[in-house]
């Protein structure tokens, strides 16, 4: 067996033998190594590998764990490695007789739910983002063990949601199918109803190891409690500071619940970060310490190399994306870095719009780590694009049919259907004998709107559609009818309007949108080929990744923390998202806080003030700072927050905290390099 080098706490965790143990493992602290080392130690102590079950959240992480263990100890190939779903399905196959033919795969599930949404006349049933939101909500409801009657959906009306959910359950029952969420619920039900099955599973799974424990949901926790029992051998590894999936049912309080349920459990903290430089670790510590609901830990650095955390304030998202593009190109040239050494991390997918536009202009290859989505594919964006296409003469029948009642112009479905087969959609409607004068006047007004839109610049055209055509009013009415919030839809429309500002004519803008869609179609191929490219990812999608240099964009109030997080009262999770983004970086981080967002002045994220907090004494003598006016300087000493700095043109006295808060000092490290990059 190969020896594994471990630090003191890692060794303590890996040598834990019996009873419950929770390991609080901070970012970059080597949790995978610890889990693998413990599996090997158990085998060394003559524990039968078949009685060990190691559970991960993804097939990729489960396979990585398996391969690592086998490379250290061939006997470990007999260990039960798997995801929650694969382990639970194995139980259902043994005791409920399910087969792989019983499974409804995710693609089929999407097709079925989309069809049911259309059957129940759910508006925008063909929209990909709406479908994704509904599927996420259905999963959350089940994973959190909530009753359909009590659940309040966020993305469609409660009545529509209930109809779709009930029809979906009926479909599965009629086809004899279960989906991945059912695996969890049915396993929990089985263990409660069949004591014999529970005892059999307990004897089979005598040693349970769970990776990424902070990501588990309610039903997974309840199953683990049943299988392990009060005094069971369960070894959970996670970090409450990285619990960011509440929309899936995860809750950092489950780590506390673990300790309360397993009353004799041990707690071990892995607090050495082997990934990031000291400056990044210190900055992330300063941020996360503002959360109250967490284990008290402060990460320490292992690496001796210095790095930096910088904050800049570009004019807008366009300049933000251009600055990042130039930074990447210059770093590759100066330091022989590769595109794959960089990542751009954002709070929501809509923020990637400007990045995609600018990176295409600069010919910088990029790959989107999350599900590939375009702001232009959102149903509201497609409505606006249909208006633009018609106005510039590129509209098709489906474009007319899409927008003729958005906002509502009282044109019946029968009239719309009859006009689809004609060469002139509007004329066919106006010639319909069943239309009254009010409807005809609405159509004539629409024709005048098309003429006006054709004369405007793209950005002004979108603004005209939203205000004069009253599309924004339509959105408000739509959201009120459905009982949902409209901020997310307006964010999409703001992005489309802002994007149009880079083009002179509506026709040019439409061609650009088509080019973006073509580029995004290439993303799936690029992912599979593992090409050398910059990674674009949301903060949720960044979990588990690491890069030499990370850009965190949109650090302004309303985006970070996001207004949804503030409305939902989960500010601490928003802070954890920022913490996760920061700790993806090995060497350096550049955070951007645009001065203007969607044409309006923005306010810097509250998290930036937390990030830049320093002890009152100021900087430490010997450190280097970078001043906007005086450039690079060496700190000679400090007294009550006033620092003496030696610059090229002499010694200056500076108010350290004031300079930090006003971005007069934007970079610092011990080596005197303002970029934080190394050759």
């Amino acid at each position: 067996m190969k020896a594994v080098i471990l630090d003191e706490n890692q060794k303590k965790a890996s040598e834990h033998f019996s009873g419950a143990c929770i390991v609080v493992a901070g970012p970059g602290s080597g949790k995978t190594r610890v889990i693998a080392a413990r599996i090997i130690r158990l085998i060394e102590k003559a524990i039968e590998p078949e009685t060990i079950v190691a559970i991960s959240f993804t097939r990729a992480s489960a396979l990585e764990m398996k391969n690592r263990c086998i490379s250290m100890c061939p006997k470990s190939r007999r260990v039960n490695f798997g995801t929650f779903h694969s382990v639970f399905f194995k139980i259902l196959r043994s005791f409920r007789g399910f087969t792989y033919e019983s499974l409804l795969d995710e693609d089929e599930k999407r097709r079925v739910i989309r069809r049911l949404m259309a059957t129940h006349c759910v508006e925008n049933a063909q929209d990909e983002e709406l479908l994704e939101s509904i599927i996420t909500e259905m999963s959350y409801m089940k994973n959190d063990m909530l009753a359909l009657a009590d659940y309040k959906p966020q993305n469609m009306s409660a009545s529509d949601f209930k109809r779709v959910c009930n029809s979906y359950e009926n479909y599965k029952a009629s086809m004899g199918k279960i989906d991945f969420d059912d695996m969890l619920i049915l396993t929990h039900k089985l263990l409660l109803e069949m004591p014999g099955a529970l005892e059999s599973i307990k004897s089979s799974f005598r040693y349970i190891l769970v990776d990424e424990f902070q990501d588990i949901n309610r039903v997974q926790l309840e199953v683990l409690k049943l299988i392990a029992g009060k005094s069971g051998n369960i070894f959970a590894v996670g970090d409450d500071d990285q619990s960011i999936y509440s929309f899936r049912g995860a809750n950092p309080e489950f780590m506390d619940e673990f300790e309360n349920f397993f009353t004799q459990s041990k707690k071990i903290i892995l607090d050495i970060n082997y990934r990031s430089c000291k400056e990044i670790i210190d900055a992330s510590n300063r941020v996360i310490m503002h959360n109250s609901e967490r284990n008290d830990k402060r990460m320490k650095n292992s690496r001796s190399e210095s790095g930096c955390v910088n904050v800049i304030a570009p004019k807008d998202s366009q300049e933000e994306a251009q600055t990042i593009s130039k930074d990447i190109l210059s770093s590759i040239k100066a330091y022989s870095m590769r595109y794959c050494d960089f990542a751009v991390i954002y709070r929501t997918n809509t923020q990637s719009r400007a990045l995609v536009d600018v990176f295409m202009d600069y010919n910088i290859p990029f790959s989107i780590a999350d599900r590939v989505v375009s702001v232009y594919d959102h149903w509201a964006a497609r409505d606006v694009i249909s208006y633009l296409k018609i106005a510039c003469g590129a509209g098709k029948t489906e474009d007319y049919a899409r927008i003729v009642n958005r906002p509502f112009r009282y044109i019946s479905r029968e009239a719309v259907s009859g006009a689809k087969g004609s060469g002139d959609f509007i004329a066919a409607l106006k010639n319909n004998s069943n239309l009254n004068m009010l409807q005809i006047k609405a159509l004539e007004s629409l024709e005048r709107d098309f003429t006006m839109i054709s004369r405007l610049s793209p950005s002004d055209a979108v603004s005209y559609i939203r205000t004069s055509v009253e599309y924004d009013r339509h959105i408000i009415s739509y959201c009120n009818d459905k009982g949902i919030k409209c901020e997310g839809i307006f964010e999409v429309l703001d992005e489309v309007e802002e994007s149009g500002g880079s083009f002179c004519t509506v026709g040019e803008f439409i061609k650009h949108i088509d080019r973006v869609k073509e580029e995004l179609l290439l993303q799936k191929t690029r992912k599979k080929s593992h090409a050398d490219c910059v990674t674009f990812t949301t903060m949720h999608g960044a979990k588990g990744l690491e890069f030499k240099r990370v850009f965190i964009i949109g650090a302004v109030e309303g985006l970070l923390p996001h207004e949804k997080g503030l409305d939902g009262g989960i500010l601490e999770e928003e802070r954890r998202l920022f913490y996760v983004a920061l700790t993806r970086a090995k060497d350096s981080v550049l955070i951007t806080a645009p001065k203007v967002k969607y044409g309006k002045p923005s306010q810097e994220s509250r998290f930036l003030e937390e990030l830049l907090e320093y002890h009152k004494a100021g900087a430490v003598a010997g450190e280097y700072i970078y001043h906007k006016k005086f450039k690079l300087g060496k700190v000679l000493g400090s007294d009550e927050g006033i620092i003496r700095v030696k610059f090229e043109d002499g010694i200056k006295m500076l108010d350290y905290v004031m300079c930090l808060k006003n971005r007069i000092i934007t970079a610092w490290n011990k080596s005197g390099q303002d970029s934080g990059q190394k050759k």
Side-chain angles (χ1 to χ4, degrees):
M1 296 186 187
K2 291 184 180 179
V4 183
I5 301 174
L6 303 171
D7 65 36
E8 182 180 349
N9 284 356
Q10 288 175 337
K11 186 178 180 183
K12 189 185 300 182
S14 69
E15 291 178 347
H16 174 78
F17 182 64
S18 62
C21 177
I22 188 159
V23 179
V24 182
S29 62
K31 64 181 180 60
T32 305
R33 172 180 292 192
V34 167
I35 295 172
R38 182 169 187 258
I39 291 172
I40 304 307
R41 294 287 169 87
L42 289 173
I43 294 172
E44 288 174 345
K45 288 180 176 289
I47 300 301
E48 288 297 323
E50 292 84 355
T51 65
I52 303 171
V53 58
I55 303 175
S56 303
F57 268 81
T58 66
R59 280 181 289 182
S61 58
L63 184 61
E64 179 193 352
M65 182 72 69
K66 181 177 181 178
N67 291 337
R68 181 179 291 210
C69 288
I70 291 173
S71 69
M72 296 161 59
C73 171
K75 281 186 180 180
S76 61
R77 68 175 65 250
R78 289 154 47 199
V79 171
N80 297 284
F81 294 98
T83 63
F84 274 102
H85 291 101
S86 66
V87 171
F88 287 12
F89 188 59
K90 183 177 180 181
I91 293 171
L92 292 175
R93 286 174 63 196
S94 298
F95 294 95
R96 291 295 194 206
F98 286 110
T99 65
Y100 287 111
E101 285 70 36
S102 308
L103 285 179
L104 187 72
D105 67 46
E106 289 300 294
D107 289 337
E108 186 180 355
K109 176 179 179 177
R110 297 173 73 86
R111 287 193 295 270
V112 170
I113 294 176
R114 189 193 299 278
R115 187 165 66 245
L116 292 172
M117 288 168 65
T119 299
H120 289 293
C121 299
V122 174
E123 199 166 350
N124 303 306
Q126 298 306 310
D127 182 65
E128 191 68 23
E129 189 166 326
L130 179 61
L131 175 66
E132 191 70 29
S133 298
I134 300 310
I135 291 174
T136 298
E137 290 207 61
M138 292 169 73
S139 293
Y140 172 81
M141 182 181 67
K142 281 195 171 182
N143 293 336
D144 215 34
M145 305 175 76
L146 302 173
L148 176 59
D150 301 327
Y151 183 72
K152 184 179 179 181
Q154 302 296 308
N155 295 282
M156 63 163 46
S157 68
S159 57
D160 282 345
F161 186 76
K162 288 175 183 177
R163 282 195 292 269
V164 171
C165 286
N166 286 328
S167 295
Y168 178 58
E169 294 301 321
N170 291 337
Y171 171 84
K172 288 186 294 179
S174 67
M175 301 297 291
K177 297 277 190 178
I178 63 171
D179 64 17
F180 285 89
D181 295 322
D182 294 327
M183 287 183 194
L184 311 182
I185 295 293
L186 291 174
T187 301
H188 181 248
K189 185 179 179 183
L190 166 73
L191 299 181
L192 289 176
E193 294 177 351
M194 294 181 62
L198 177 58
E199 290 307 313
S200 176
I201 294 164
K202 280 184 173 182
S203 63
S204 297
F205 297 158
R206 292 179 52 216
Y207 292 86
I208 305 168
L209 299 93
V210 184
D211 191 13
E212 302 287 6
F213 188 80
Q214 77 281 343
D215 294 337
I216 68 167
N217 56 47
R218 168 55 65 187
V219 67
Q220 289 166 340
L221 177 61
E222 294 304 319
V223 171
L224 289 174
K225 285 155 68 172
L226 287 169
I227 296 175
K230 282 277 188 180
S231 57
N233 296 317
I234 181 168
F235 184 84
V237 181
D239 182 11
D240 48 348
D241 288 337
Q242 297 184 74
S243 179
I244 58 174
Y245 298 119
S246 63
F247 63 92
R248 295 181 190 166
N251 190 328
E253 293 179 4
F254 289 161
M255 295 187 73
D256 292 332
E257 190 169 331
F258 179 99
E259 294 183 74
N260 293 331
F261 182 82
F262 301 104
T263 53
Q264 301 300 314
S265 62
K266 284 179 62 178
K267 181 196 285 187
I268 300 168
I269 295 179
L270 305 184
D271 57 0
I272 300 178
N273 182 323
Y274 293 91
R275 174 191 301 146
S276 306
C277 65
K278 183 179 186 300
E279 289 78 4
I280 294 170
I281 296 170
D282 288 347
S284 59
N285 280 336
R286 288 194 292 273
V287 170
I288 203 62
M289 67 179 284
H290 288 269
N291 275 3
S292 58
E293 302 298 323
R294 61 184 295 263
N295 278 284
D296 186 19
K297 69 177 184 299
R298 188 175 184 87
M299 298 302 294
K300 306 163 190 170
N301 63 296
S302 169
R303 294 176 53 192
S304 58
E305 306 97 326
S306 63
C308 70
V309 178
N310 295 342
V311 180
I312 62 171
K315 182 180 72 174
D316 53 24
S317 60
Q318 189 74 8
E319 185 176 293
E320 179 180 58
Q322 290 171 345
T323 301
I324 291 169
S325 299
K326 292 173 184 176
D327 184 295
I328 290 171
L329 293 174
S330 63
S331 296
I332 288 173
K333 184 177 180 180
Y335 307 110
S336 300
M337 298 175 74
R338 303 177 66 205
Y339 290 116
C340 60
D341 292 328
F342 301 88
V344 187
I345 303 179
Y346 36 81
R347 176 63 181 83
T348 66
N349 273 311
T350 55
Q351 293 173 258
S352 66
R353 191 273 311 161
L355 293 169
V356 171
D357 290 354
V358 171
F359 273 56
M360 286 172 60
D361 290 341
Y362 279 74
N363 291 316
I364 298 175
F366 63 91
S367 175
I368 300 176
D370 312 78
R371 182 174 54 90
V372 178
V373 292
S374 166
V375 67
Y376 304 119
D377 286 331
H378 190 281
W379 63 263
R382 281 159 52 199
D383 286 352
V384 170
I385 292 167
S386 287
Y387 270 103
L388 296 176
K389 284 182 175 179
I390 294 169
C392 71
K396 298 179 180 179
T397 300
E398 53 264 32
D399 292 307
Y400 283 98
R402 182 178 187 89
I403 57 87
V404 70
N405 276 318
R406 298 184 178 187
F408 196 51
R409 297 182 177 91
Y410 304 97
I411 311 299
S412 68
R413 289 186 183 180
E414 291 76 14
V416 171
S417 181
K420 281 184 177 179
S422 66
D424 189 329
F425 187 90
I426 299 294
L429 284 177
K430 288 165 69 176
N431 292 331
N432 188 318
S433 59
N434 293 323
L435 263 59
N436 59 40
M437 286 303 297
L438 182 65
Q439 292 167 311
I440 291 173
K441 284 185 177 180
L443 290 174
E444 290 173 345
S445 176
L446 178 59
E447 288 182 300
R448 290 193 294 272
D449 287 330
F450 288 144
T451 301
M452 178 60 74
I453 292 167
S454 69
R455 298 170 180 168
L456 298 172
S457 67
S459 184
D460 288 342
V462 176
S463 178
Y464 182 89
I465 293 165
R466 297 181 65 181
T467 54
S468 297
V469 180
E470 297 188 327
Y471 186 78
D472 277 8
R473 180 180 61 78
H474 162 69
I475 293 299
I476 293 170
S477 176
Y478 168 85
C479 292
N480 288 339
D481 288 345
K482 303 296 182 185
I484 61 177
K485 295 178 180 178
C486 55
E487 286 82 0
I489 301 175
F490 283 142
E491 187 177 332
V492 169
L493 296 172
D494 287 339
E495 282 289 344
V496 176
E497 185 174 335
E498 187 173 85
S499 177
S502 302
F503 302 91
C504 296
T505 68
V506 170
E508 289 176 1
F509 186 37
I510 295 299
K511 287 180 181 178
H512 168 74
I513 291 171
D514 291 338
R515 194 163 68 94
V516 168
K517 289 182 177 180
E518 289 174 8
E519 172 63 29
L520 294 183
L521 283 175
L522 299 173
Q523 289 298 316
K524 293 179 182 178
T525 304
R526 194 167 286 158
K527 281 182 182 180
K528 292 178 181 177
S529 66
H530 301 288
D532 181 25
C533 49
V534 179
T535 295
F536 292 175
T537 178
T538 62
M539 293 177 175
H540 287 106
K543 186 96 178 315
L545 304 178
E546 61 180 33
F547 306 90
K548 287 186 178 179
R549 182 157 172 78
V550 165
F551 304 93
I552 302 174
I553 68 170
V556 296
E557 290 290 307
L559 279 178
L560 184 67
H562 198 276
E563 58 194 358
K564 289 189 294 187
L566 297 178
D567 290 344
I570 50 173
L571 177 61
E572 294 210 351
E573 179 157 329
E574 291 293 312
R575 188 176 283 111
R576 290 194 293 270
L577 280 163
F578 185 44
Y579 178 78
V580 166
L582 281 169
T583 54
R584 298 312 93 198
K586 296 179 181 179
D587 301 332
S588 62
V589 179
L590 177 64
I591 304 167
T592 59
K595 296 175 183 176
V596 174
K597 196 66 180 170
Y598 306 137
K600 300 174 183 176
S602 60
Q603 180 182 348
E604 273 190 356
S605 169
R606 67 193 72 187
F607 298 153
L608 295 187
E609 186 171 344
E610 298 170 1
L611 178 89
L612 297 171
E613 285 177 355
Y614 270 70
H615 50 81
K616 293 180 180 179
V620 177
E623 286 187 349
Y624 287 84
I625 63 170
Y626 191 84
H627 193 283
K628 280 186 176 181
K629 180 179 179 181
F630 305 125
K631 307 305 178 187
L632 194 65
K634 185 177 182 179
V635 178
L636 301 178
S638 63
D639 182 22
E640 295 185 356
I642 303 299
I643 57 174
R644 291 184 298 112
V645 186
K646 183 178 180 181
F647 295 101
E648 189 174 331
D649 60 347
I651 296 175
K652 309 291 181 183
M653 308 292 284
L654 304 173
D655 184 320
Y656 190 52
V657 174
M658 185 276 291
C659 286
L660 285 173
K661 286 187 175 181
N662 289 282
R663 306 290 177 267
I664 297 169
I665 298 171
T666 57
W668 58 92
N669 64 38
K670 291 181 178 177
S671 64
Q673 295 175 313
D674 63 304
S675 68
Q677 310 278 352
K678 302 174 191 62
K679 294 184 180 180

